Amino acid sequence: MNTLGGDLSISALERELGIGKDTLRIWERRYGFPRPKRDANGERRYPADQVVRLRLVRRLLDQGMRPHQILPLPVEELQAIAAPSEPGAAEAAIHPELLELVKSRDAPAFQHTLRAHLLRQGLERFVLDTVVPLVHAIGQGWASGEVEVFEEHLATEQLYRVLREAVSQVPAGDTRPRVLITTLPGEPHGLGLLLAEAVMRLEGASCMPLGAQTPQSQILAAARAGDSDVVALSFSEYFGLMPMREAIGQL
């Protein structure tokens, strides 16, 4: 009876999760997990339950936790840590605090506060629970005249700096899906690209970020050259619905 048919080899596990073979072996020796089986040739095979647990480990590592903190934990505890929590009073106070720093034009304090929230929340929650609502609030402030254009530009530049540094720490995926990320000509706003790349890389996607305003012919050429599975385009609300539909149709 073949009891290993549904298990993953160490090479397959490396491709699946983006965790190197040497790292897996070190964890096995140092922390006692993972605990692979051995096939008839003595090769490591990883059961499905360990793959699930390792996927949670990878997600928490991407959020800034250390191997010694999470590798000894059972899957139930890992799931509890990885589960998004309901925002409480502290979370509710994040956005007004940051918005006031934007209006005060205190770039160092704004960047320092962003980094503090990133460290506390991890990259995924920072993007979804802090940056996205903050960008929306800044946009509303600009529309109402409460935020000056130069204040919005200053805040965006600080967000870029903090996010680029954080995204660069996420291991680059080398498995599918392969995602090409850009904007079309006429859409200069690129912060959405960086937010999308952060979340996609945390989920293990292999991303090819081209920046903003890539000519349509070059999007096609890059997608073919990179064997992309997905082309992700970012649009601000000021691009316009009809121009967006026409541009996508042409592409």
Side-chain angles (χ1 to χ4, degrees):
M1 180 175 62
N2 181 8
T3 61
L4 300 174
D7 301 337
L8 293 182
S9 67
I10 193 169
S11 296
L13 186 63
E14 181 181 44
R15 292 192 299 270
E16 176 82 12
L17 301 181
I19 302 174
K21 298 176 185 176
D22 290 341
T23 299
L24 290 166
R25 295 187 187 104
I26 290 172
W27 289 353
E28 184 181 336
R29 292 195 303 269
R30 186 173 298 173
Y31 304 109
F33 180 80
R35 296 183 296 276
K37 304 175 184 178
R38 299 280 180 163
D39 63 16
N41 297 318
E43 299 294 332
R44 289 174 171 82
R45 304 287 299 192
Y46 296 84
D49 61 334
Q50 294 192 33
V51 175
V52 170
R53 185 172 162 187
L54 283 167
R55 188 173 285 113
L56 289 166
V57 166
R58 164 66 191 271
R59 183 170 184 176
L60 292 171
L61 289 174
D62 290 343
Q63 293 177 5
M65 300 194 74
R66 299 297 183 186
H68 73 272
Q69 296 174 304
I70 53 179
L71 280 166
L73 300 179
V75 67
E76 294 80 12
E77 291 189 37
L78 294 173
Q79 289 171 335
I81 295 171
S85 59
E86 291 297 322
E91 267 65 23
I94 287 173
H95 311 130
E97 170 196 8
L98 289 169
L99 194 57
E100 285 303 313
L101 287 172
V102 171
K103 295 177 182 178
S104 71
R105 304 142 195 178
D106 190 343
F110 181 63
Q111 187 176 132
H112 175 78
T113 305
L114 288 174
R115 293 183 189 281
H117 289 307
L118 171 62
L119 182 63
R120 182 171 64 84
Q121 293 177 294
L123 181 54
E124 183 176 22
R125 285 190 58 212
F126 177 67
V127 167
L128 299 177
D129 296 348
T130 295
V131 179
V132 171
L134 175 63
V135 170
H136 180 67
I138 292 173
Q140 287 186 318
W142 173 84
S144 66
E146 296 178 6
V147 174
E148 298 285 352
V149 172
F150 78 88
E151 292 171 342
E152 184 267 340
H153 286 195
L154 183 64
T156 299
E157 179 61 24
Q158 302 311 309
L159 283 166
Y160 265 117
R161 293 183 181 185
V162 172
L163 285 166
R164 284 192 187 282
E165 180 180 334
V167 171
S168 71
Q169 302 302 312
V170 180
D174 58 358
T175 59
R176 295 189 183 278
R178 296 175 180 170
V179 185
L180 186 154
I181 310 173
T182 188
T183 73
L184 291 170
E187 178 51 82
H189 299 90
L191 184 58
L193 302 177
L194 194 54
L195 299 179
E197 182 183 358
V199 175
M200 290 178 186
R201 288 185 64 169
L202 284 172
E203 291 297 327
S206 175
C207 296
M208 180 190 292
L210 299 184
Q213 303 199 79
T214 303
Q216 292 183 5
S217 63
Q218 292 304 297
I219 294 175
L220 181 58
R224 287 174 171 165
D227 192 22
S228 299
D229 301 298
V230 179
V231 173
L233 301 174
S234 176
F235 297 91
S236 68
E237 61 182 308
Y238 304 105
F239 190 88
L241 183 59
M242 290 305 297
M244 179 180 69
R245 287 176 173 171
E246 291 173 3
I248 292 176
Q250 293 169 3
L251 180 62

